[in-house]
């Protein structure tokens, strides 16, 4: 390895790195710290992390029942909208910025993909669900999505899924109280969604090859060099899109234009998730005192200081399979990845078009055309094979 690398700048001193590059005196990419981060980016684990709050999370029978339920429009009050109306199992979502639900309802935000979804720590753009099973309760009961309720779910479970349901939960749908019907259907949905994955992408191979090239001292000739370097250095993408999911699992205000009444993002939902009866520490959780409950307590205890920064903050999405999920951002503002890169390049949308205060990390980047093109190519390479 190049001896210069040992004295290279830590990635956290990005501003210093930028200055150095302006003087043509840049530390070689990657530094040791950047090597670590590169190593963490590739090769998704075969299975999402365990979820002990749903005892059926990895039960094959629950997963196959969940698959049928996910595609069943009869769970909705209008009889025409299923989960798969807005999220198909290939990872595609809807082509429009907002999706259509029952009775002319329109969602407030752009649907994310369900591919690899249970690798994430929080669900929904504003993090208002802390587990994948409780997430499913939100679209089922949302007036603009499936507009459903326990009676509709129970009727359809009785009509079509009675035997499997009864075997899995040791009671019939009729013997399941209202609030529990919602949780149980959510747990089946999660068991299915956990199996919907696309893990291996050209990006993973590129990073592995690039790391080998670094060892051989030939990294600058590697075709992924400029894309990765821009992702780490001039683009600063790695500050938030990190780890194997390419998300830090946190929430940031980038300054994405949003004039809707839900523009406050995470801030408006934090009390909801802490007090929700369906959260991981609530009575419907199969492990009320586990890690997830601790995680909620962590949120509660740091809330005072963090609350202002939560205004207008949204979850860092995974970039895996991002080529499949246009349009982009929680508002669906951008049609293409080129548009997204341009957004970052100009330092976000205009002041005054979004709620709260933009994070200091998002600044005008002044990327060269070849750096922008290399970033787009890198983002495209993150889509896995089915
Ligand atoms: C009418 C369209 C629509 C329907 C029907 C729908 N969703 Fe969604 N889904 C969305 C939208 C829009 C979001 C983002 C909402 C937000 O963050 O505020 C979303 C978010 C999600 C997420 C969170 C993904 C993430 O990365 O955080 C999951 C998981 C999900 N939906 C699963 C489901 C399941 C399971 C069902 C059926 C029970 C369902 N959806 C029904 C539109 C829909
Ligand atoms: C400060 C943290 C942060 C940095 C730095 C950052 N992102 Fe993001 N990224 C986010 C968040 C948060 C969102 C969602 C924002 C929203 O919708 O309001 C997002 C959204 C995206 C999306 C849209 C994904 C989708 O499914 O809609 C893409 C693509 C993306 N970022 C790529 C990049 C690239 C490329 C860079 C570097 C030029 C970058 N990001 C830098 C946090 C960050």
């Amino acid at each position: 390895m190049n001896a210069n690398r040992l004295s290279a700048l830590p990635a956290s001193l990005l501003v210093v790195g930028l200055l150095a590059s302006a003087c043509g005196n840049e530390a070689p990419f990657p530094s040791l710290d950047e090597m670590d981060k590169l190593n963490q980016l590739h090769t998704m684990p075969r299975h999402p992390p365990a979820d002990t709050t749903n005892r059926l999370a990895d039960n094959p029978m629950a997963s196959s029942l969940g698959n049928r339920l996910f595609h069943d429009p009869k769970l909705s009050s209008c009889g025409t909208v299923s989960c798969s109306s807005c999220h198909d199992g290939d990872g595609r979502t809807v082509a429009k910025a907002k999706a259509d639900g029952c009775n002319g309802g329109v969602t407030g935000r752009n649907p994310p993909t369900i591919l690899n979804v249970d690798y994430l720590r929080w669900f929904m753009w504003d993090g208002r669900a802390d587990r994948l099973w409780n997430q499913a309760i939100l679209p089922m009961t949302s007036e603009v999505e499936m507009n459903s309720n326990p009676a509709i779910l129970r009727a359809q479970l009785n009509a079509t899924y009675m035997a499997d349901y009864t075997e899995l939960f040791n009671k019939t749908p009729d013997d399941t109280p209202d609030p529990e019907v919602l949780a149980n259907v959510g747990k089946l949905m999660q068991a299915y969604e956990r199996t919907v994955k696309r893990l291996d992408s050209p990006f993973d191979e590129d990073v592995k090859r690039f790391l080998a090239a670094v060892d051989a001292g030939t990294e600058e000739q590697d075709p992924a060099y400029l894309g990765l370097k821009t992702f780490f250095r001039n683009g600063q993408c790695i500050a938030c899109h990190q780890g194997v999911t390419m998300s830090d699992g946190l929430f940031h205000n980038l300054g994405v234009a949003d004039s809707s009444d839900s523009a406050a993002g995470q801030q408006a939902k934090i009390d909801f998730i802490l007090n929700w009866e369906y959260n991981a520490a609530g009575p419907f959780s199969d492990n009320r005192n586990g890690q997830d409950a601790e995680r909620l307590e962590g949120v509660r205890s740091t809330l005072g200081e963090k609350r202002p920064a939560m205004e207008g903050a949204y979850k860092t999405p995974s970039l895996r399979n991002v080529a499949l999920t246009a349009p982009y951002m929680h508002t669906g503002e951008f049609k293409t990845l080129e548009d997204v890169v341009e957004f970052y390049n100009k330092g976000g949308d205009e002041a005054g078009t979004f709620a709260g205060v933009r994070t200091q990390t998002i600044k005008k980047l002044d990327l060269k055309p070849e750096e922008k093109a290399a970033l787009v190519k890198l983002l495209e390479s993150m889509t896995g094979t089915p």
Side-chain angles (χ1 to χ4, degrees):
M1 172 176 308
N2 189 329
N4 273 338
R5 223 177 284 296
L6 296 170
S7 59
L9 296 164
S12 54
L13 293 179
L14 278 163
V15 181
V16 181
L18 288 174
L19 287 176
S21 88
C23 311
N25 180 17
E26 196 185 11
F29 173 76
S31 70
L32 281 184
D33 182 61
E34 288 165 336
M35 287 278 279
D36 269 355
K37 293 207 163 85
L38 276 163
N39 263 309
Q40 291 158 19
L41 278 179
H42 69 86
T43 316
M44 288 284 279
R46 301 292 95 182
H47 300 290
D51 182 357
T52 55
T53 67
N54 175 4
R55 70 177 177 82
L56 296 176
D58 295 304
N59 176 307
M61 186 176 164
S63 171
S64 93
L65 179 51
N67 184 351
R68 295 168 68 197
L69 292 167
F70 192 91
H71 295 91
D72 186 348
K74 292 206 176 121
L75 299 182
S76 67
S77 67
C78 51
T80 55
V81 176
S82 69
C83 308
S84 59
S85 306
C86 301
H87 313 270
D88 88 18
D90 274 345
R92 284 174 211 283
T93 55
V94 295
K96 299 189 294 180
K98 313 283 159 75
D100 299 319
C102 278
N103 313 318
V106 177
T107 61
R109 297 190 181 132
N110 185 246
T113 180
I114 58 151
L115 276 178
N116 305 351
V117 70
D118 218 4
Y119 289 83
L120 303 178
R121 286 176 52 187
W122 298 98
F123 305 94
M124 302 303 215
W125 284 106
D126 51 22
R128 67 189 183 278
D130 64 338
R131 287 286 93 205
L132 195 53
W133 58 269
N134 59 36
Q135 185 285 331
I137 296 170
L138 299 168
M140 287 192 287
T141 53
S142 156
E143 274 177 35
V144 296
E145 296 180 44
M146 296 168 77
N147 193 29
S148 194
N149 60 44
I152 295 172
L153 297 181
R154 195 182 284 113
Q156 182 58 0
L157 290 169
N158 276 330
T160 315
Y161 310 104
M162 166 85 103
D164 285 359
Y165 178 97
T166 307
E167 188 175 335
L168 287 163
F169 294 104
N170 298 317
K171 56 177 112 171
T172 63
D174 279 338
D175 286 337
T176 313
D178 275 2
E180 197 185 323
V181 171
L182 290 169
N184 287 354
V185 174
K187 287 175 182 178
L188 298 169
M189 297 285 188
Q190 176 184 21
Y192 163 64
E193 290 172 285
R194 280 169 73 79
T195 66
V196 184
K197 300 180 272 196
R198 277 202 194 189
L199 303 179
D200 301 313
S201 66
F203 173 81
D204 296 293
E205 293 312 310
D206 289 349
V207 173
K208 277 186 256 179
R209 188 198 59 239
F210 179 75
L211 287 167
V214 174
D215 277 340
T218 57
E219 67 275 11
E220 290 191 24
Q221 287 89 61
D222 191 277
Y225 177 77
L226 185 61
L228 287 172
K229 183 174 164 195
T230 310
F231 194 82
F232 274 74
R233 296 252 172 117
N234 292 352
Q236 308 204 35
C237 317
I238 192 70
C240 305
H241 296 285
Q242 51 183 255
V244 82
T245 60
M246 286 170 250
S247 165
D248 55 6
L250 299 174
F251 299 80
H252 307 274
N253 184 333
L254 305 188
V256 172
D258 184 347
S259 55
S260 73
D261 55 11
S262 63
Q266 189 195 18
Q267 192 185 56
K269 291 297 173 184
I270 199 75
D271 291 311
F272 167 81
I273 180 63
L274 289 174
N275 300 319
W276 195 25
E277 63 178 326
Y278 291 108
N279 74 23
F284 301 99
S285 166
D286 293 330
N287 185 9
R288 299 185 62 168
N289 302 312
Q291 268 182 350
D292 295 84
E294 278 169 33
R295 183 168 74 173
L296 280 172
E297 274 320 304
V299 172
R300 203 187 298 276
S301 63
T302 55
L303 201 54
E305 50 194 277
K306 285 202 182 142
R307 202 179 278 268
M310 289 170 171
E311 187 179 4
Y314 292 87
K315 185 178 71 174
T316 308
S318 170
L319 296 181
R320 288 194 173 266
N321 305 302
V322 71
L324 300 176
T325 68
Y328 299 109
M329 304 306 196
H330 73 276
T331 52
E333 180 182 351
F334 303 115
K335 288 207 168 64
T336 64
L337 292 169
E338 281 84 356
D339 296 342
V340 175
V341 168
E342 206 44 65
F343 163 89
Y344 284 109
N345 193 44
K346 66 178 191 186
D349 284 330
E350 304 269 311
T353 60
F354 55 89
V357 179
R358 180 172 8 237
T359 169
Q360 290 183 345
T361 319
I362 299 297
K363 292 197 173 76
K364 210 166 176 300
L365 299 173
D366 286 323
L367 298 178
K368 299 191 192 86
E370 59 272 24
E371 290 176 314
K372 291 189 217 169
L375 266 187
V376 169
K377 218 174 124 209
L378 190 81
L379 291 168
E380 284 168 346
S381 75
M382 293 172 179
T383 296
T385 38

